[in-house]
Amino acid sequence: MGKLKSLMVAAAMLASTAMSAITVHTIGDSTMADYDENTTPKRGWGMMFQQFFTGDLTVNNRAKSGASSKSFYEESAYWESVKKQIKPGDYVLIQFAHNDEKTDGMDGDELIAYYKSVGDEAGAAATDYRGTTAAGTYKDYLRKYIEETRALGATPVLVSPICRNYFTGSTIRRNGMHDLGDDFSVLTADGIKTGQSVPADDHSQDYPYQMKQVADEMGVSFIDITTATKQLYEGYGSAQCKALLFTPDDNTHTSAMGATLVARLAAQLLQEQGILAGYINLTSELSVNPSACDLGQAYAGMTVTKEMQVSGFDLQPESGTVTVTASDGIQVSADGNDYSSSLTLQYEGGTMIGSFWVKCEFAGEGAINETVTVTSGDKTITVPVTGTVATLAEGAETQAYWRLESNDECETTGPVNPMRQTLSGMVVQKYSAPNANTTWPDWTGFTADRKTQRCVIEGEVWPEGDIDEVSTRYIEFAVQAAKGTTLNVDKLSLFVCGCGGNGMCCKIYYSKEADFANPVQIFEMTKMPSNNMQYVEATPVLSLNEGETLRIRVYPWYNGTATGKTICLSDVTVHGVAVDSTVGIDNAVELKAEPVRTLYYGPDGTLRSGKQSGLNIVKKEYADGKATTEKIIY
């Protein structure tokens, strides 16, 4: 009877799982992560994964750029936030290694402790804590993910890292497969030993091999994408890999085509092991990813674009075309530049992997409901295109403005509470002009002698091997909604550049979550031209209630080891409208009187006939005799 009861309970649980929607949560690093197509050509394979599934299954891609098995677990914005989304019956695909290798096979925390023990504070400050040992702390963290996933009633799957585009002749070399055995370092009782090596049959420094050991030890499925991508890349060859599968000057991050092929490999390997096989679709049918084009919210007058991927495998005929047609309210483009009502994409060899862009100008009020039709032969896919025109409620204009010419003080207009600038792993070196040859966008009217805030990494030595953001190294600006108000933010902007060389790189995000979870990327640039100020602007539609905080973070890194290279920041601005939170948005009231006169001056104090492109000094005069002055860039 007991056995029968157990079987009945198990059957009920299986039926419950079968009836409920399944979510596949993917956690990993930048090779898996989502990217904003308007800021970078990089594409993670996790963002292409959904198109290879059918039925009631959703991919929740939570991979994070710069994450190692350690940092993703230890930093609350990541694993803890994912666990809140996991429900019984879900699957969690776990892929780490790229950033676990940051300290040449040593554990970052152990290395920091060693440097401090010998009084080398500079060495400790320059050490990346994310590093793990392949046969030690890497395996420890994988076990934590497995145990905690199972405790939530979900199924963990270990997925080995994709190869890097590291060729020797026609073969991906050992370190390209995440085996550091040819050149690694080890921390011993006598100190650090560098330039170590072990034979090819010694897997002590082989991260994918050690992942497989954990899978066998804990009875977890193991998906060997490392070997699969090795075979894929070698089939293309070094030159074609670089041209087609990877982004320019980057041997780690894949293009849309590379990410799509890796995602299909992952689905194929899952299917071969009988994992989620009933949901996986690898047939020749054409597909569009994502299946719906959600343009989100935007203010009236804004133009929004979104990239879509179209793919098909083993198509018939082997050579043909795919036609993309837009409804009247939108346009489409094959390159993101030239838009029209329709376009044609060519394919060869039975394989279609391409992109097209959708553009829509938000006008009027209400919802946008348009369509894009994708056709190849007798196959037609209709993609809904949706969006919402947002209305900025009337209220008090607000602005927080960090000039960053001689200090980090913030000038404010209207009811908004700025917070002190925060630096993590960075320090302000000085305030000065980046260089005598500094160039600013022409529309600013700024000259080369304009001072900026110059920030440098702690210890001033940028480490070798950084290819992406470091989660603990950033510069942050933040604002809070004032008491009794809701702050509707409509613009974020700043200037940024590298000084001292062309190797400075950075990403910029914003988030209103307390732990900076689910950030929105607004800028990425690698190898920034030295002393060439880049203007960054975003027009989000977001509201901060009283006490909520909006944070903007700049994550810098340098392309190779270097000393004294700085990242220069200027004119950080958060603009919006504050309304009385006690009456609600729909019945918002103004919090201050309108000015009776507004005057515009140039940077040199010359009175202008009206606002002009670039920096304007704006003076507002009120009926009670009071006046305000602020600097605004139009």
Side-chain angles (χ1 to χ4, degrees), residues 108 111-116 118-128 192 458-459:
L111 189 56
I112 291 170
Y114 162 75
Y115 279 127
K116 289 183 176 180
V118 297
D120 187 353
E121 293 298 328
T127 298
D128 195 326
I192 302 168
E458 288 182 346

Side-chain angles (χ1 to χ4, degrees), residues 268-507:
Q268 181 180 337
L269 293 171
L270 288 171
Q271 186 181 62
E272 289 173 358
Q273 293 195 32
I275 304 168
L276 299 169
Y279 293 93
I280 294 173
N281 176 27
L282 300 174
T283 68
S284 62
E285 288 189 0
L286 202 67
S287 66
V288 178
N289 183 46
S291 57
C293 181
D294 181 6
L295 300 175
Q297 286 188 304
Y299 296 113
M302 289 176 54
T303 297
V304 178
T305 63
K306 186 174 182 64
E307 182 186 15
M308 308 290 289
Q309 280 76 42
V310 56
S311 61
F313 301 89
D314 303 318
L315 296 174
Q316 293 296 326
E318 288 196 352
S319 299
T321 60
V322 174
T323 301
V324 181
T325 305
S327 59
D328 289 342
I330 55 177
Q331 291 183 306
V332 289
S333 170
D335 59 7
N337 295 312
D338 298 322
Y339 285 86
S340 62
S341 60
S342 65
L343 60 88
T344 299
L345 303 172
Q346 305 284 333
Y347 72 83
E348 300 286 343
T351 300
M352 171 78 249
I353 301 177
S355 301
F356 64 89
W357 283 258
V358 177
K359 181 174 76 172
C360 178
E361 181 176 345
F362 282 53
E365 296 182 2
I368 292 169
N369 290 289
E370 302 292 343
T371 59
V372 168
T373 304
V374 181
T375 304
S376 180
D378 59 359
K379 173 71 173 180
T380 298
I381 302 172
T382 300
V383 180
V385 180
T386 58
T388 304
V389 179
T391 301
L392 193 62
E394 291 185 358
E397 182 179 5
T398 64
Q399 180 169 281
Y401 174 71
W402 290 265
R403 171 65 187 84
L404 303 179
E405 184 173 20
S406 59
N407 54 51
D408 64 355
E409 293 180 1
C410 180
E411 301 174 17
T412 62
T413 301
V416 59
N417 296 330
M419 302 178 72
R420 295 290 298 185
Q421 180 186 12
T422 301
L423 293 94
S424 175
M426 299 287 294
V427 295
V428 176
Q429 185 193 63
K430 57 184 175 180
Y431 292 88
S432 69
N435 187 279
N437 299 318
T438 299
T439 60
W440 295 79
D442 290 341
W443 55 266
T444 64
F446 299 158
T447 58
D449 60 355
R450 181 177 170 85
K451 293 182 179 180
T452 68
Q453 183 186 76
R454 294 174 61 163
C455 299
V456 68
I457 188 173
E458 288 182 346
E460 297 207 358
V461 180
W462 298 89
E464 182 71 38
D466 278 357
I467 59 171
D468 211 329
E469 67 187 78
V470 177
S471 58
T472 55
R473 184 197 303 152
Y474 58 81
I475 305 160
E476 179 180 284
F477 302 88
V479 298
Q480 283 187 337
K483 184 177 180 179
T485 70
T486 295
L487 176 59
N488 299 311
V489 178
D490 63 351
K491 189 176 79 170
L492 311 173
S493 63
L494 70 152
F495 289 97
V496 61
C497 82
C499 181
N502 296 324
M504 187 60 68
C505 313
C506 82
K507 290 182 180 178

Side-chain angles (χ1 to χ4, degrees), residues 538-582:
T539 51
V541 178
L542 60 88
S543 295
L544 299 178
N545 295 320
E546 179 181 332
E548 285 189 320
T549 303
L550 173 67
R551 293 176 171 85
I552 303 171
R553 285 187 182 177
V554 180
Y555 288 88
W557 72 98
Y558 202 81
N559 182 43
T561 184
T563 302
K565 311 298 184 182
T566 59
I567 184 166
C568 305
L569 300 174
S570 179
D571 298 271
V572 178
T573 305
V574 178
H575 184 274
V577 172
V579 298
D580 187 339
S581 61
T582 63

Side-chain angles (χ1 to χ4, degrees), residues 165-236:
N165 186 35
Y166 289 174
F167 273 86
T168 298
S170 60
T171 305
I172 296 290
R173 60 180 180 264
R174 195 174 178 183
N175 62 339
M177 297 182 67
H178 305 281
D179 179 357
L180 305 184
D182 284 339
D183 185 9
F184 63 95
S185 299
V186 61
L187 180 60
T188 72
D190 298 322
I192 302 168
K193 293 184 178 180
T194 61
Q196 303 297 296
S197 64
V198 293
D201 60 357
D202 183 326
H203 298 289
S204 60
Q205 303 298 318
D206 186 338
Y207 287 84
Y209 179 90
Q210 297 298 330
M211 177 183 275
K212 177 65 164 58
Q213 300 308 297
V214 174
D216 292 343
E217 168 196 329
M218 303 191 71
V220 173
S221 296
F222 173 70
I223 304 301
D224 187 3
I225 291 186
T226 310
T227 299
T229 52
K230 177 180 187 295
Q231 295 168 351
L232 173 69
Y233 299 166
E234 290 175 352
Y236 273 84

